[in-house]
Amino acid sequence: MAKQHIKMTVNGEEKEFLSEPRELLIHTLRDKLGLKGPHVGCETSHCGACTVEINGKSVKACTMFAVQANGAEITTIEGLGSPDKLHVLQESFKEHHGLQCGYCTPGMITRAHRLLQENPNPTEEEVRFGIAGNICRCTGYQNIVKSILSAAAEINAAKEAAQ
Ligand code: FES
Ligand code: FES
């Protein structure tokens, strides 16, 4: 089938390219746009390693075609922080050992970021429910949850201090 002209904003930058209708968004992000943060785990929407934010929602990028994201605003882990300036969630995962092999981590943090946007002060149960679609094969959930709760507390404290 003929390639289609696609435009999207990724991590604040406008991107334009041609895409075959069968091309999954995760492959576009990784192979066309060079964003290797979102990972491919299962490609069947089970693991969450490919999680990104699309128009303010957590989406598993293996579950949609790039052409379906035409015109969308997308944020990947690369848009949250950088090696020089980590996002508070990234700092927290580092501090609380929220990762082991790290394979699930970009998707986990991207999902946690959206979760805290929707619920800035979650309980432990709400965090566990919120990340239920993201699987950690190293089973490091205890420290992942701790990392997210700690980041939430830090973000809230910073907001209070700024008032
Ligand atoms: S690679 Fe997308 S959910 Fe596993
Ligand atoms: S840290 Fe290894 S899969 Fe989660």
Side-chain angles (χ1 to χ4, degrees), residues 26 39-51 60-63 133:
I26 184 64
H39 288 156
V40 180
C42 61
E43 247 184 357
T44 52
S45 83
H46 285 95
C47 76
C50 62
T51 303
K60 294 175 178 177
C62 74
T63 62

Side-chain angles (χ1 to χ4, degrees), residues 11 19 21 27 33 43 55 57 60 64 89 109 117 134 140 143 156 159:
N11 299 330
S19 181
H27 296 306
L33 305 183
E43 247 184 357
N55 297 334
K57 292 209 164 102
K60 294 175 178 177
M64 65 190 291
L89 273 162
I109 290 180
Q117 301 279 311
N134 292 64
N143 285 348
N156 290 333
K159 269 192 215 153

Side-chain angles (χ1 to χ4, degrees), residues 40-82:
V40 180
C42 61
E43 247 184 357
T44 52
S45 83
H46 285 95
C47 76
C50 62
T51 303
V52 298
E53 287 183 20
I54 303 182
N55 297 334
K57 292 209 164 102
S58 292
V59 174
K60 294 175 178 177
C62 74
T63 62
M64 65 190 291
F65 298 111
V67 292
Q68 292 176 296
N70 194 13
E73 288 217 16
I74 300 179
T75 305
T76 68
I77 188 76
E78 288 89 345
L80 294 186
S82 67

